[in-house]
Amino acid sequence: MYKAFIITLSKLQNSAYYAMQLHHNLKKVGVHAQFWEGTYGAEATERYAREGRTPRLAFYGGKHFPTNDSPGVKGCFDSHYRLWQHCVELNEPILVFEDDVILYRGFNCPTFDDVLILSLCTEWKPMFDTFKVHLEKPHKIGMALPYKAWSMPGTSGYAIKPHAAAKLVQEYRNTYMPSDHAMRNGL
């Protein structure tokens, strides 16, 4: 199994609580994850201003959409971005989980090319309601599926290989956007 990381904001009670729950549930299915201290929004906002990093427009179906420029989006993106850098440094695939992932069952990591979606469910209610039915009926959709831009519901849980991580790091050196949009637009 690959090295696994749970993004958490340890100073926030809910984040720490969810991360501990996920850590415990992953351990039950044989995944021994490390906690990865995420980037707080204010920290990312200040650093991005110093670096001159700018928001990037998302592109879907021939249309451009503005990027959410909130501190939370910047912090979330930066947490994933730093893990992409870490994946490149390790030169091995890694598993990435946001703290609010709900693990419904164990999973195997099949062979994959760039990115493998591992979880389609988080505590975020709209996403939870949308994908819960699929997770409860495994004959409809598996826990792990190959990455396709149309199938990227979020970045709550995924496996990523170093070459894909390197592509994302290169693509977003001077810009940012929500992490799921970044993966859709950068791979």
Side-chain angles (χ1 to χ4, degrees):
M1 186 61 72
Y2 308 124
K3 288 183 180 172
F5 300 90
I6 300 170
I7 298 171
T8 184
L9 299 172
S10 63
K11 296 176 188 171
L12 301 180
Q13 187 176 5
N14 280 349
S15 179
Y17 172 78
Y18 286 135
M20 286 301 293
Q21 292 294 111
L22 178 58
H23 187 266
H24 177 73
N25 290 333
L26 285 170
K27 206 178 226 183
K28 283 184 191 177
V29 297
V31 177
H32 300 280
Q34 303 171 41
F35 294 106
W36 180 267
E37 187 62 35
T39 306
Y40 294 84
E43 179 185 315
T45 298
E46 290 171 14
R47 192 171 72 251
Y48 286 7
R50 280 194 313 270
E51 295 173 355
R53 192 179 283 211
T54 59
R56 185 164 165 185
L57 290 175
F59 184 76
Y60 299 109
K63 297 180 183 178
H64 283 91
F65 297 91
T67 294
N68 180 335
D69 196 26
S70 73
V73 165
K74 291 176 191 173
C76 183
F77 171 81
D78 194 65
S79 300
H80 287 272
Y81 182 83
R82 291 185 303 110
L83 274 166
W84 299 335
Q85 289 175 315
H86 191 60
C87 178
V88 172
E89 291 165 10
L90 290 172
N91 196 31
E92 62 186 80
I94 63 171
L95 303 176
V96 177
F97 297 97
E98 291 182 356
D99 59 7
D100 61 352
V101 165
I102 299 169
L103 189 67
Y104 270 75
R105 59 183 177 271
F107 56 89
N108 292 320
C109 281
T111 302
F112 66 100
D113 294 325
D114 299 320
V115 175
L116 182 72
I117 311 305
L118 294 173
S119 62
L120 299 176
C121 212
T122 73
E123 285 292 333
W124 188 54
K125 186 150 177 46
M127 193 178 293
F128 179 88
D129 291 343
T130 301
F131 293 101
K132 182 175 185 256
V133 67
H134 296 296
L135 293 171
E136 290 175 343
K137 296 179 181 174
H139 64 279
K140 279 190 145 184
I141 191 169
M143 182 69 162
L145 66 149
Y147 167 81
K148 299 283 183 220
W150 57 266
S151 73
M152 188 70 191
T155 50
S156 55
Y158 58 93
I160 188 166
K161 288 192 172 177
H163 67 272
K167 186 175 179 181
L168 290 168
V169 167
Q170 180 63 36
E171 187 77 17
Y172 295 101
R173 283 186 191 273
N174 301 310
T175 60
Y176 64 88
M177 62 173 38
S179 53
D180 54 344
H181 294 225
M183 291 180 88
R184 281 189 205 117
N185 284 269
L187 289 176

